Amino acid sequence: MTMHRFELRVRYGDVDQMGWVYYGNYLRWFEIGRAEMLRALGHSYRDVEEKEGILMPVLEARCRYHHGARYDELVAIETGVFGVTRAKMRFGYRVLGEDGTLCAIGYTEHCFTSPEAKLVRPPASLVGLLDRAPKVDDELRARIEAL
């Protein structure tokens, strides 16, 4: 299974005064990729929060920049599940420029909590959803493990 792919156009508000995408926006794009991957599986983040009563706060985020994207460029965010345990999960990301140039790679690690911020195990339905989700490919896994 290939990683989930979501494309977006770099907006003027995404770039710094030099015309390059501001570095913090890559983490926002990771969030967009993760949310769109779940949506493609038939569930939104809102569904998980409201129907399952599970929150998935970020514990750790890492981004390695390779080449900047520019204003009006069409970028692709590739997202996959890196791993799931009883207590947390990790997603991996690759951002590609319009010409296929590698812009950034990274990951986010999340825990599972109740709305009261107590650590919980994910319900079987969420585990099943993540099992069906695209996985991080071998090339990205190796790059992330080397970070």
Side-chain angles (χ1 to χ4, degrees):
M1 177 185 297
T2 60
M3 293 176 58
H4 180 265
R5 185 179 178 97
F6 183 78
E7 294 182 340
L8 60 82
R9 178 97 33 207
V10 176
R11 290 153 181 81
Y12 185 75
D14 292 333
V15 300
D16 60 21
Q17 67 182 11
M18 297 170 286
W20 296 100
V21 170
Y22 176 69
Y23 73 93
N25 284 323
Y26 290 90
L27 291 173
R28 187 171 58 86
W29 291 351
F30 289 179
E31 179 183 356
I32 291 168
R34 186 172 66 248
E36 293 302 326
M37 182 185 74
L38 290 176
R39 188 179 315 283
L41 292 167
H43 293 285
S44 68
Y45 249 88
R46 177 176 281 172
D47 289 340
V48 173
E49 291 177 358
E50 292 178 358
K51 295 178 182 172
E52 302 287 348
I54 298 294
L55 304 178
M56 299 178 290
V58 174
L59 296 172
E60 182 178 350
R62 180 83 192 257
C63 184
R64 171 69 51 96
Y65 305 97
H66 292 271
H67 187 275
R70 302 297 296 234
Y71 169 66
D72 203 41
E73 185 174 354
L74 186 65
V75 297
I77 306 155
E78 296 181 345
T79 306
V81 173
F82 190 92
V84 180
T85 68
R86 294 182 315 176
K88 58 189 174 181
M89 65 183 161
R90 185 179 280 194
F91 294 96
Y93 311 91
R94 180 187 295 120
V95 178
L96 300 170
E98 197 162 348
D99 63 357
T101 300
L102 179 63
C103 295
I105 61 166
Y107 66 85
T108 55
E109 188 170 275
H110 306 254
C111 64
F112 306 101
T113 72
S114 69
E116 296 78 31
K118 293 184 180 178
L119 290 176
V120 297
R121 289 190 177 151
S125 58
L126 181 56
V127 172
L129 177 70
L130 295 171
D131 282 345
R132 291 193 335 264
K135 306 300 183 262
V136 168
D137 61 37
D138 292 339
E139 186 268 336
L140 182 58
R141 179 176 294 277
R143 285 178 175 261
I144 289 173
E145 288 173 347
L147 290 178

